[in-house]
mmCIF file of all heavy atoms in Angstrom:
data_model
loop_
_atom_site.group_PDB
_atom_site.id
_atom_site.type_symbol
_atom_site.label_atom_id
_atom_site.label_comp_id
_atom_site.label_asym_id
_atom_site.label_seq_id
_atom_site.Cartn_x
_atom_site.Cartn_y
_atom_site.Cartn_z
ATOM 1 N N TRP A 36 165.304 -22.153 209.735
ATOM 2 C CA TRP A 36 164.368 -22.788 210.709
ATOM 3 C C TRP A 36 165.192 -23.358 211.845
ATOM 4 O O TRP A 36 166.393 -23.562 211.732
ATOM 5 C CB TRP A 36 163.507 -23.823 210.058
ATOM 6 C CG TRP A 36 164.334 -24.900 209.321
ATOM 7 C CD1 TRP A 36 164.897 -26.014 209.849
ATOM 8 C CD2 TRP A 36 164.680 -24.916 207.938
ATOM 9 N NE1 TRP A 36 165.556 -26.743 208.897
ATOM 10 C CE2 TRP A 36 165.447 -26.087 207.691
ATOM 11 C CE3 TRP A 36 164.429 -24.046 206.867
ATOM 12 C CZ2 TRP A 36 165.960 -26.378 206.456
ATOM 13 C CZ3 TRP A 36 164.891 -24.381 205.602
ATOM 14 C CH2 TRP A 36 165.677 -25.507 205.440
ATOM 15 N N ARG A 62 151.890 -45.272 216.190
ATOM 16 C CA ARG A 62 150.920 -44.740 215.224
ATOM 17 C C ARG A 62 151.609 -43.903 214.136
ATOM 18 O O ARG A 62 150.931 -43.516 213.186
ATOM 19 C CB ARG A 62 149.894 -43.878 215.956
ATOM 20 C CG ARG A 62 148.935 -44.647 216.840
ATOM 21 C CD ARG A 62 147.956 -43.715 217.552
ATOM 22 N NE ARG A 62 147.282 -42.837 216.662
ATOM 23 C CZ ARG A 62 146.143 -43.170 215.996
ATOM 24 N NH1 ARG A 62 145.647 -44.389 216.091
ATOM 25 N NH2 ARG A 62 145.573 -42.283 215.159
ATOM 26 N N GLY A 64 154.882 -43.229 211.416
ATOM 27 C CA GLY A 64 155.965 -43.884 210.718
ATOM 28 C C GLY A 64 155.842 -43.630 209.217
ATOM 29 O O GLY A 64 154.772 -43.431 208.689
ATOM 30 N N ALA A 65 156.984 -43.643 208.557
ATOM 31 C CA ALA A 65 157.030 -43.536 207.103
ATOM 32 C C ALA A 65 156.406 -44.751 206.473
ATOM 33 O O ALA A 65 156.359 -45.827 207.131
ATOM 34 C CB ALA A 65 158.451 -43.304 206.631
ATOM 35 N N HIS A 73 171.497 -48.164 201.369
ATOM 36 C CA HIS A 73 172.948 -47.964 201.555
ATOM 37 C C HIS A 73 173.526 -49.279 202.188
ATOM 38 O O HIS A 73 172.795 -50.230 202.499
ATOM 39 C CB HIS A 73 173.212 -46.794 202.457
ATOM 40 C CG HIS A 73 172.520 -46.840 203.765
ATOM 41 N ND1 HIS A 73 171.170 -46.694 203.906
ATOM 42 C CD2 HIS A 73 173.000 -47.031 205.037
ATOM 43 C CE1 HIS A 73 170.793 -46.770 205.173
ATOM 44 N NE2 HIS A 73 171.877 -46.973 205.894
ATOM 45 N N GLY A 75 175.136 -49.720 205.126
ATOM 46 C CA GLY A 75 174.815 -49.916 206.530
ATOM 47 C C GLY A 75 175.049 -48.650 207.328
ATOM 48 O O GLY A 75 175.712 -47.721 206.898
ATOM 49 N N LEU A 93 164.325 -30.742 190.669
ATOM 50 C CA LEU A 93 164.924 -29.382 190.708
ATOM 51 C C LEU A 93 165.168 -28.940 192.116
ATOM 52 O O LEU A 93 166.239 -28.425 192.436
ATOM 53 C CB LEU A 93 164.043 -28.445 189.916
ATOM 54 C CG LEU A 93 164.463 -26.974 189.979
ATOM 55 C CD1 LEU A 93 165.821 -26.791 189.288
ATOM 56 C CD2 LEU A 93 163.416 -26.111 189.244
ATOM 57 N N ALA A 98 168.261 -28.013 197.408
ATOM 58 C CA ALA A 98 168.463 -28.426 198.774
ATOM 59 C C ALA A 98 169.869 -28.866 199.080
ATOM 60 O O ALA A 98 170.394 -28.617 200.192
ATOM 61 C CB ALA A 98 167.446 -29.499 199.146
ATOM 62 N N LEU A 99 170.470 -29.524 198.143
ATOM 63 C CA LEU A 99 171.875 -29.954 198.310
ATOM 64 C C LEU A 99 172.838 -28.781 198.480
ATOM 65 O O LEU A 99 173.840 -28.890 199.180
ATOM 66 C CB LEU A 99 172.340 -30.834 197.118
ATOM 67 C CG LEU A 99 171.712 -32.195 196.985
ATOM 68 C CD1 LEU A 99 172.065 -32.836 195.687
ATOM 69 C CD2 LEU A 99 172.138 -33.060 198.163
ATOM 70 N N LEU A 116 157.239 -43.986 191.499
ATOM 71 C CA LEU A 116 158.444 -44.794 191.205
ATOM 72 C C LEU A 116 158.797 -44.797 189.725
ATOM 73 O O LEU A 116 159.724 -45.514 189.322
ATOM 74 C CB LEU A 116 158.215 -46.242 191.680
ATOM 75 C CG LEU A 116 157.899 -46.411 193.165
ATOM 76 C CD1 LEU A 116 157.693 -47.884 193.505
ATOM 77 C CD2 LEU A 116 159.040 -45.841 194.022
ATOM 78 N N ARG A 144 168.123 -44.198 191.475
ATOM 79 C CA ARG A 144 168.779 -45.079 190.537
ATOM 80 C C ARG A 144 170.227 -45.227 190.929
ATOM 81 O O ARG A 144 170.671 -44.695 191.950
ATOM 82 C CB ARG A 144 168.614 -44.566 189.116
ATOM 83 C CG ARG A 144 169.293 -43.251 188.779
ATOM 84 C CD ARG A 144 169.033 -42.939 187.285
ATOM 85 N NE ARG A 144 169.734 -41.784 186.836
ATOM 86 C CZ ARG A 144 169.680 -41.314 185.581
ATOM 87 N NH1 ARG A 144 168.975 -41.972 184.674
ATOM 88 N NH2 ARG A 144 170.344 -40.251 185.214
ATOM 89 N N GLN A 152 177.691 -47.368 199.670
ATOM 90 C CA GLN A 152 177.955 -46.146 200.439
ATOM 91 C C GLN A 152 177.469 -46.378 201.880
ATOM 92 O O GLN A 152 176.511 -47.081 202.146
ATOM 93 C CB GLN A 152 177.178 -44.964 199.827
ATOM 94 C CG GLN A 152 177.614 -44.599 198.421
ATOM 95 C CD GLN A 152 179.043 -44.113 198.349
ATOM 96 O OE1 GLN A 152 179.484 -43.379 199.219
ATOM 97 N NE2 GLN A 152 179.759 -44.477 197.309
ATOM 98 N N SER A 162 164.427 -46.981 189.891
ATOM 99 C CA SER A 162 164.056 -46.854 188.445
ATOM 100 C C SER A 162 165.243 -46.318 187.670
ATOM 101 O O SER A 162 165.934 -45.367 188.133
ATOM 102 C CB SER A 162 162.886 -45.864 188.294
ATOM 103 O OG SER A 162 162.637 -45.601 186.881
ATOM 104 N N GLY A 170 160.400 -28.218 188.171
ATOM 105 C CA GLY A 170 159.578 -27.800 189.293
ATOM 106 C C GLY A 170 158.124 -28.150 188.974
ATOM 107 O O GLY A 170 157.828 -28.896 188.066
ATOM 108 N N PRO A 171 157.217 -27.656 189.820
ATOM 109 C CA PRO A 171 157.463 -26.794 191.016
ATOM 110 C C PRO A 171 157.928 -27.637 192.170
ATOM 111 O O PRO A 171 158.239 -28.826 192.047
ATOM 112 C CB PRO A 171 156.046 -26.199 191.306
ATOM 113 C CG PRO A 171 155.109 -27.301 190.833
ATOM 114 C CD PRO A 171 155.771 -27.906 189.613
ATOM 115 N N ILE A 178 155.970 -31.311 205.057
ATOM 116 C CA ILE A 178 155.690 -32.297 204.027
ATOM 117 C C ILE A 178 155.078 -33.522 204.688
ATOM 118 O O ILE A 178 155.015 -33.555 205.969
ATOM 119 C CB ILE A 178 156.923 -32.692 203.238
ATOM 120 C CG1 ILE A 178 157.980 -33.325 204.127
ATOM 121 C CG2 ILE A 178 157.529 -31.491 202.494
ATOM 122 C CD1 ILE A 178 159.213 -33.903 203.455
ATOM 123 N N VAL A 184 153.809 -36.721 209.034
ATOM 124 C CA VAL A 184 154.112 -35.321 208.753
ATOM 125 C C VAL A 184 155.555 -35.026 209.205
ATOM 126 O O VAL A 184 155.995 -35.463 210.274
ATOM 127 C CB VAL A 184 153.129 -34.367 209.488
ATOM 128 C CG1 VAL A 184 153.527 -32.921 209.306
ATOM 129 C CG2 VAL A 184 151.697 -34.624 208.991
ATOM 130 N N PRO A 187 160.257 -29.016 209.012
ATOM 131 C CA PRO A 187 161.682 -28.682 208.941
ATOM 132 C C PRO A 187 162.268 -28.578 210.331
ATOM 133 O O PRO A 187 161.696 -27.986 211.264
ATOM 134 C CB PRO A 187 161.721 -27.364 208.186
ATOM 135 C CG PRO A 187 160.352 -26.788 208.309
ATOM 136 C CD PRO A 187 159.425 -27.935 208.389
ATOM 137 N N ILE A 209 160.641 -37.848 224.213
ATOM 138 C CA ILE A 209 160.401 -39.123 223.528
ATOM 139 C C ILE A 209 161.622 -40.037 223.632
ATOM 140 O O ILE A 209 161.506 -41.252 223.950
ATOM 141 C CB ILE A 209 160.052 -38.904 222.046
ATOM 142 C CG1 ILE A 209 158.714 -38.201 221.925
ATOM 143 C CG2 ILE A 209 160.088 -40.195 221.256
ATOM 144 C CD1 ILE A 209 158.355 -37.724 220.505
ATOM 145 N N ARG A 222 166.951 -56.166 229.145
ATOM 146 C CA ARG A 222 166.846 -57.079 230.306
ATOM 147 C C ARG A 222 166.039 -58.307 230.021
ATOM 148 O O ARG A 222 166.379 -59.397 230.384
ATOM 149 C CB ARG A 222 166.268 -56.308 231.515
ATOM 150 C CG ARG A 222 167.208 -55.215 232.081
ATOM 151 C CD ARG A 222 166.667 -54.732 233.390
ATOM 152 N NE ARG A 222 165.398 -54.030 233.285
ATOM 153 C CZ ARG A 222 165.248 -52.748 233.074
ATOM 154 N NH1 ARG A 222 166.345 -51.976 232.935
ATOM 155 N NH2 ARG A 222 164.066 -52.169 232.973
ATOM 156 N N THR A 227 165.664 -64.119 228.858
ATOM 157 C CA THR A 227 165.200 -65.176 227.943
ATOM 158 C C THR A 227 166.350 -66.076 227.484
ATOM 159 O O THR A 227 166.211 -67.288 227.407
ATOM 160 C CB THR A 227 164.517 -64.508 226.683
ATOM 161 O OG1 THR A 227 163.386 -63.758 227.106
ATOM 162 C CG2 THR A 227 164.080 -65.601 225.717
ATOM 163 N N GLY A 230 167.140 -68.854 229.632
ATOM 164 C CA GLY A 230 166.139 -69.946 229.733
ATOM 165 C C GLY A 230 164.983 -69.637 230.635
ATOM 166 O O GLY A 230 164.138 -70.487 230.868
ATOM 167 N N LEU A 244 140.386 -60.722 228.424
ATOM 168 C CA LEU A 244 139.691 -60.627 227.172
ATOM 169 C C LEU A 244 138.591 -61.651 227.043
ATOM 170 O O LEU A 244 137.880 -61.716 226.042
ATOM 171 C CB LEU A 244 140.684 -60.816 226.010
ATOM 172 C CG LEU A 244 141.688 -59.711 225.861
ATOM 173 C CD1 LEU A 244 142.758 -60.105 224.842
ATOM 174 C CD2 LEU A 244 140.992 -58.424 225.351
ATOM 175 N N PHE A 248 139.373 -71.341 228.144
ATOM 176 C CA PHE A 248 140.396 -72.389 228.134
ATOM 177 C C PHE A 248 139.676 -73.747 228.187
ATOM 178 O O PHE A 248 138.907 -74.000 229.080
ATOM 179 C CB PHE A 248 141.346 -72.248 229.320
ATOM 180 C CG PHE A 248 142.257 -71.075 229.168
ATOM 181 C CD1 PHE A 248 141.818 -69.766 229.432
ATOM 182 C CD2 PHE A 248 143.574 -71.286 228.800
ATOM 183 C CE1 PHE A 248 142.661 -68.709 229.317
ATOM 184 C CE2 PHE A 248 144.477 -70.188 228.671
ATOM 185 C CZ PHE A 248 144.023 -68.919 228.936
#
Side-chain angles (χ1 to χ4, degrees):
W36 54 85
R62 290 180 54 86
H73 55 291
L93 175 62
L99 289 172
L116 302 179
R144 67 178 184 178
Q152 299 293 323
S162 173
I178 61 173
V184 175
I209 292 170
R222 289 192 296 271
T227 300
L244 292 169
F248 288 76

